[in-house]
Amino acid sequence: MKPQNKFFTLIFMFFVFGIFISNFVSSEEVNYSVSSSYGGIQVSSIKYEPYPVNPGEYFDFWIHASLGTAKYAKFEMVQNFPFTLENSAEAINEYENIGSRDVVMHYKIRVDKDAVEGLNNLGLKISTQKYSSSEVVYPFEIYVSNAQTDFDLIVQDSSSSQVSLAIANIGKNVANSMIVRIPEQNGFKVTGTNGQMVGNLDAGDYSIVGFNLLPIGRNAGNLTVQIDYTDNIGVRRSLLKNVPFAGVSSGNFTAQVSGEAVPANFARGTFQRTTTPASGINWTAILLSFIVVGIILFFKKNPKLFNKSFNTLKKDGKKLEKLDVPAWIQKEKSKERSSRGK
Amino acid sequence: MKQKQIMSIGNVWKKYDMGSADPLIVLKEINLDIHEGEFIAITGPSGSGKSTMMNIVGALDGPSWGKVLLKGKDLSELGESNLSLFRGKTIGFIFQSFNLIPTLTAIQNVMLPMEMVDLPEKEAKERAELLLGMLGLKDRLNHKPNELSGGQQQRVAIARSLANDPEIILADEPTGNLDSHTGKFVMDFLGKLNKEGKTIILITHDLNLVRYARRVIHIKDGKIEKETSR
């Protein structure tokens, strides 16, 4: 082989085995990818648990780094909103005179309770020189779930002194220990209690609360309603909603906060928790369930129909599943079985 | 008629040892058969094991347990150099970050895999010119990556992936760094290659790309959660 060919071959092998050898990566230009390299060091996110991460909770994050030929490597987890480390002292991992090796770094990271739903960047600072400030920040994208919820309100019914508000949980999460209040405001005066306890309101569910309310002046305008609830990570939250309130009549009142649909057949009356009415027995669903269970049982009794791979993967005439399974796999399987049993 | 099996992944597990702590298990009991001419998408959320799966499917990494057969050959039984050669001939890689060698020109980057399999330089150059021309880069042969746009770099990377006429193209988030127009070009080109008989394995978390595939493998928590075909 020509020397030039050898040179190219070496470069290509390095490229393939190292998975991703790219040019110098700067914090400004890099987007999230599964792996990248800096100064011969390759980093990649192995996984984080749970997925998605929850505001107000910790998550575990594992990063794999292949140190290549680097003589020195320092990794520092950058703590920026909404992420903080359980123990700041553990932010830095330093490796010196280590030769070629792979390392797995584990971080326990807290997500701020006010983290916004969606992808949030978590930076890992990498430097390869001990006394130099030259470094890059490699961003990992972490998906944060939404712990909060949202509500839609309408004035369901009103008389000269009483108003019924229908409130629907239009978010994805349950609202626990929910209280609806009418705060002090211009245009309306509450006689009697200004707060009603709803309790736990599931996502998609609704409830009706009533207040003795007197409009002040000819055109009262918007009614401000305060909703307090505990979200699904245990944080108490408070929301203010404005309900258009053009006036009071003895008939039904249908002003609406937004365009979200709320079931029209709300039960009349006040201080009564109502839930979405259950429909009659759905015989089609029951029949389908029996068919599905039958199919599952059939395939369980005929596992070969389930998995073609084992038929093609034999070693010395033995199927793979019959070979000795390592202890760590057995342990993982029993862990999964017991978690399924719970 | 059913297509011939080109890759079979049987009961594959992948773990990372964590010293005295329990090992970190990132793939669990993966069973997957891939047939010639398939367009398959492997999808799942970030951290689901998709990247590890890509490394295993691309023969860039081996499983901790289980078997991977590529064209009937057990990869664990090939030595490092044989594996490298076999992989270079059978699989073409397209990465999100292109991974072109910055010091080489477009044509040199495309010729690189052909050097690996000892194709004579003249033939390699002709083929590289042909591939780059096919991708509309005839006037960019001697440009280095930093003189090319993101879309042009990805097209060079596609030409490089086709250099050794591999049966399988493994594309990892191929449109991740591209604008929507160039992204569509790349996906349409992969679709065209598939129609010409190439097996395409697409790794993506972008559900908009999944529609190009005829079979979709959903991975979650290191396991195949579900498989859908159309």
Side-chain angles (χ1 to χ4, degrees):
Chain A
M1 195 186 286
K2 289 185 288 184
Q4 194 194 10
N5 287 356
K6 279 186 183 169
F7 170 71
F8 280 141
T9 307
L10 273 174
I11 291 178
F12 185 70
M13 285 174 77
F14 182 61
F15 152 72
V16 171
F17 284 126
I19 309 172
F20 306 125
I21 298 293
S22 62
N23 203 356
F24 184 88
V25 177
S26 77
S27 57
E28 289 81 24
E29 68 191 16
V30 78
N31 288 317
Y32 176 79
S33 65
V34 290
S35 171
S36 193
S37 70
Y38 167 64
I41 296 172
Q42 293 162 19
V43 291
S44 59
S45 147
I46 297 174
K47 66 186 288 190
Y48 56 86
E49 277 181 351
Y51 177 88
V53 302
N54 298 313
E57 290 181 8
Y58 284 98
F59 71 98
D60 291 292
F61 187 30
W62 289 271
I63 295 170
H64 171 253
S66 181
L67 303 180
T69 53
K71 288 196 169 67
Y72 171 82
K74 186 169 97 174
F75 301 95
E76 183 180 352
M77 188 55 77
V78 183
Q79 299 181 62
N80 50 350
F81 181 83
F83 303 114
T84 46
L85 280 170
E86 182 187 31
N87 181 353
S88 292
E90 290 170 0
I92 296 174
N93 283 298
E94 257 181 308
Y95 302 93
E96 205 167 350
N97 297 322
I98 22 74
S100 176
R101 62 176 276 203
D102 288 353
V103 292
V104 176
M105 291 170 280
H106 172 232
Y107 295 95
K108 201 158 187 69
I109 299 165
R110 185 178 168 79
V111 187
D112 191 277
K113 68 177 175 53
D114 293 319
V116 181
E117 183 189 17
L119 290 173
N120 285 258
N121 272 351
L122 177 60
L124 181 72
K125 211 184 273 181
I126 307 168
S127 52
T128 54
Q129 287 170 330
K130 201 168 187 178
Y131 303 108
S132 165
S133 58
S134 166
E135 58 199 14
V136 293
V137 177
Y138 182 73
F140 293 99
E141 286 184 329
I142 307 290
Y143 192 79
V144 178
S145 71
N146 184 9
Q148 301 173 39
T149 192
D150 198 9
F151 304 93
D152 198 1
L153 286 93
I154 58 168
V155 175
Q156 171 66 17
D157 201 3
S158 67
S159 66
S160 56
S161 63
Q162 204 169 64
V163 173
S164 301
L165 296 173
I167 178 163
N169 180 351
I170 58 167
K172 292 176 188 165
N173 300 306
V174 63
N176 293 305
S177 309
M178 185 175 145
I179 297 172
V180 181
R181 290 190 172 92
I182 307 291
E184 261 186 46
Q185 56 195 286
N186 294 329
F188 297 97
K189 185 173 188 255
V190 180
T191 60
T193 180
N194 74 333
Q196 294 293 336
M197 172 63 78
V198 173
N200 299 342
L201 190 62
D202 289 334
D205 203 353
Y206 65 89
S207 185
I208 294 175
V209 289
F211 296 95
N212 292 324
L213 196 66
L214 288 174
I216 302 167
R218 285 181 65 194
N219 189 356
N222 282 341
L223 171 67
T224 302
V225 180
Q226 181 182 330
I227 302 161
D228 298 330
Y229 73 100
T230 304
D231 69 15
N232 70 354
I233 57 166
V235 177
R236 192 76 182 154
R237 298 188 186 271
S238 190
L239 284 175
L240 288 177
K241 292 274 179 185
N242 287 322
V243 188
F245 200 101
V248 177
S249 73
S250 56
N252 278 356
F253 207 98
T254 54
Q256 211 164 320
V257 172
S258 71
E260 292 291 333
V262 175
N265 55 344
F266 283 172
R268 290 251 181 137
T270 56
F271 315 120
Q272 184 189 352
R273 172 80 196 280
T274 55
T275 52
T276 313
S279 59
I281 297 169
N282 189 336
W283 291 105
T284 313
I286 292 170
L287 185 65
L288 275 173
S289 307
F290 274 112
I291 292 169
V292 170
V293 169
I295 290 169
I296 291 168
L297 288 176
F298 172 78
F299 276 109
K300 278 207 165 180
K301 284 192 173 177
N302 300 276
K304 280 183 183 175
L305 293 173
F306 232 3
N307 189 349
K308 295 172 289 176
S309 297
F310 286 134
N311 295 327
T312 56
L313 292 164
K314 290 178 181 174
K315 191 175 181 183
D316 304 328
K318 286 163 89 179
K319 286 181 185 174
L320 267 175
E321 59 188 337
K322 301 287 182 195
L323 298 176
D324 292 335
V325 177
W328 58 271
I329 291 184
Q330 289 174 7
K331 195 175 166 187
E332 183 66 18
K333 281 187 167 179
S334 77
K335 211 159 71 182
E336 285 198 349
R337 271 197 297 272
S338 65
S339 70
R340 271 201 300 270
K342 275 180 191 168
Chain B
M1 195 179 79
K2 194 161 187 185
Q3 292 292 316
K4 215 169 115 188
Q5 192 179 83
I6 196 161
M7 180 176 276
S8 185
I9 297 171
N11 196 18
V12 158
W13 293 68
K14 180 71 182 175
K15 67 162 175 144
Y16 288 94
D17 288 319
M18 299 290 293
S20 55
D22 279 348
L24 178 63
I25 299 171
V26 286
L27 286 184
K28 300 168 194 171
E29 220 170 357
I30 300 287
N31 289 290
L32 178 65
D33 292 333
I34 300 172
H35 298 93
E36 279 180 356
E38 266 200 294
F39 194 137
I40 182 168
I42 297 173
T43 187
S46 177
S48 59
K50 223 167 51 239
S51 322
T52 312
M53 180 82 170
M54 183 208 74
N55 290 345
I56 304 264
V57 170
L60 295 164
D61 196 2
S64 306
W65 175 258
K67 291 282 175 195
V68 180
L69 304 186
L70 181 56
K71 291 176 74 182
K73 281 188 186 170
D74 183 345
L75 296 183
S76 67
E77 288 172 2
L78 295 174
E80 257 321 308
S81 58
N82 284 338
L83 175 64
S84 174
L85 195 64
F86 186 52
R87 179 177 52 215
K89 283 180 177 172
T90 316
I91 305 175
F93 294 91
I94 302 171
F95 298 112
Q96 177 181 359
S97 47
F98 322 132
N99 291 345
L100 300 174
I101 307 292
T103 52
L104 302 181
T105 61
I107 193 164
Q108 285 169 334
N109 265 289
V110 179
M111 286 167 68
L112 211 54
M114 295 186 263
E115 301 272 357
M116 179 83 182
V117 296
D118 286 336
L119 194 74
E121 195 176 331
K122 191 169 171 282
E123 266 181 62
K125 197 173 175 197
E126 280 171 8
R127 181 162 170 78
E129 277 177 4
L130 181 80
L131 288 168
L132 287 167
M134 210 165 77
L135 284 148
L137 293 169
K138 208 159 191 162
D139 55 344
R140 294 284 186 278
L141 300 182
N142 297 312
H143 287 63
K144 288 186 177 167
N146 62 3
E147 296 162 349
L148 299 170
S149 69
Q152 287 169 336
Q153 287 185 56
Q154 191 60 300
R155 279 186 277 162
V156 175
I158 293 173
R160 182 187 59 193
S161 77
L162 296 170
N164 288 329
D165 195 20
E167 286 137 282
I168 301 171
I169 302 289
L170 181 57
D172 175 29
E173 303 283 7
T175 64
N177 282 342
L178 304 177
D179 61 74
S180 58
H181 178 73
T182 319
K184 187 177 181 306
F185 170 86
V186 168
M187 290 311 299
D188 288 345
F189 193 80
L190 287 177
K192 195 174 147 206
L193 289 174
N194 178 243
K195 280 194 185 117
E196 288 168 7
K198 300 269 184 230
T199 306
I200 310 288
I201 304 171
L202 172 71
I203 314 283
T204 186
H205 70 276
D206 184 348
L207 294 178
N208 289 323
L209 301 189
V210 162
R211 65 192 164 89
Y212 286 88
R214 285 195 293 276
R215 188 150 70 107
V216 184
I217 310 294
H218 301 263
I219 300 205
K220 196 179 169 195
D221 295 332
K223 296 182 94 164
I224 294 182
E225 188 191 31
K226 64 173 177 174
E227 186 178 325
T228 48
S229 300
R230 61 189 133 201

